[in-house]
């Protein structure tokens, strides 16, 4: 199950990376606006998944030598921490199903975290931070 989750997550992140990197403008630090925003969104996703799984998701990544946090090379540590806390805060709002047959009591963690991390709202936050840190 753990390896399958990593493969699914890696595939989703690769598709998002490929579709968001069409037009690039270099910034002063060598990273594009698109790279910055994608890095922010990934940190939101990691924060959301880590909080909802009580940090088991991060441990799973570390166990398979997939620390995945090259985002800190693009974002300032304070911005990466901010994104992580945004994801963690959102994850606390994810409620278990109370109406869906055999899923009652289970939370739609992965889907909800991915949807929020790559939402227009998160994009707006990341874009605003990009321009404020330049």
């Amino acid at each position: 199950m753990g390896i399958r989750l990593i493969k699914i997550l890696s595939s989703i992140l690769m598709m998002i990376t490929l579709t968001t990197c069409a037009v690039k403008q270099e910034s002063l630090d060598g990273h594009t606006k698109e790279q910055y925003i994608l890095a922010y969104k990934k940190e939101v996703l990691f924060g959301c998944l880590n909080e909802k799984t009580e940090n088991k998701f991060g441990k799973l990544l570390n166990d398979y030598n997939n620390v995945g946090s090259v985002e800190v090379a693009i974002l300032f540590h304070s911005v990466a921490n901010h994104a992580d806390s945004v994801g963690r805060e959102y994850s606390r709002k994810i409620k278990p199903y109370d109406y869906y047959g055999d899923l009652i009591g289970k939370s739609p963690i992965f889907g909800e975290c991915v949807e929020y991390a790559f939402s227009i709202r998160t994009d707006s936050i990341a874009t605003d931070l990009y321009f404020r840190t330049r």
Side-chain angles (χ1 to χ4, degrees):
M1 176 73 181
I3 294 174
R4 186 172 182 208
L5 177 62
I6 289 174
K7 287 181 181 180
I8 291 170
L9 181 60
S10 296
S11 296
I12 289 171
L13 292 177
M14 180 60 76
M15 288 186 311
I16 292 167
T17 301
L18 291 174
T19 58
T20 58
C21 293
V23 177
K24 296 182 180 183
Q25 294 178 323
E26 286 295 320
S27 66
L28 294 175
D29 63 0
H31 297 102
T32 66
K33 175 183 166 192
E34 291 79 12
Q35 289 170 321
Y36 182 94
I37 291 171
L38 182 60
Y40 185 87
K41 289 177 176 183
K42 286 180 185 179
E43 285 295 325
V44 169
L45 177 62
F46 293 153
C48 184
L49 291 172
N50 277 326
E51 179 69 20
K52 205 64 178 172
T53 62
E54 298 173 349
N55 293 317
K56 291 177 186 168
F57 180 74
K59 184 181 178 332
L60 177 74
L61 291 178
N62 286 332
D63 286 350
Y64 290 96
N65 294 321
N66 184 9
V67 289
S69 196
V70 297
E71 286 68 36
V72 183
I74 297 172
L75 305 172
F76 293 117
H77 283 279
S78 62
V79 175
N81 289 338
H82 177 269
D84 182 80
S85 66
V86 167
R88 287 177 184 273
E89 182 180 324
Y90 179 78
S91 75
R92 293 183 199 111
K93 298 175 185 176
I94 299 172
K95 302 295 181 208
Y97 290 114
D98 60 357
Y99 59 88
Y100 204 60
D102 60 342
L103 296 178
I104 290 176
K106 296 182 180 181
S107 295
I109 299 167
F110 186 77
E112 290 287 325
C113 287
V114 169
E115 186 175 330
Y116 181 73
F118 296 96
S119 69
I120 292 171
R121 173 153 172 67
T122 305
D123 189 74
S124 297
I125 295 168
T127 301
D128 181 55
L129 286 169
Y130 175 80
F131 287 114
R132 283 198 286 155
T133 58
R134 299 294 169 230

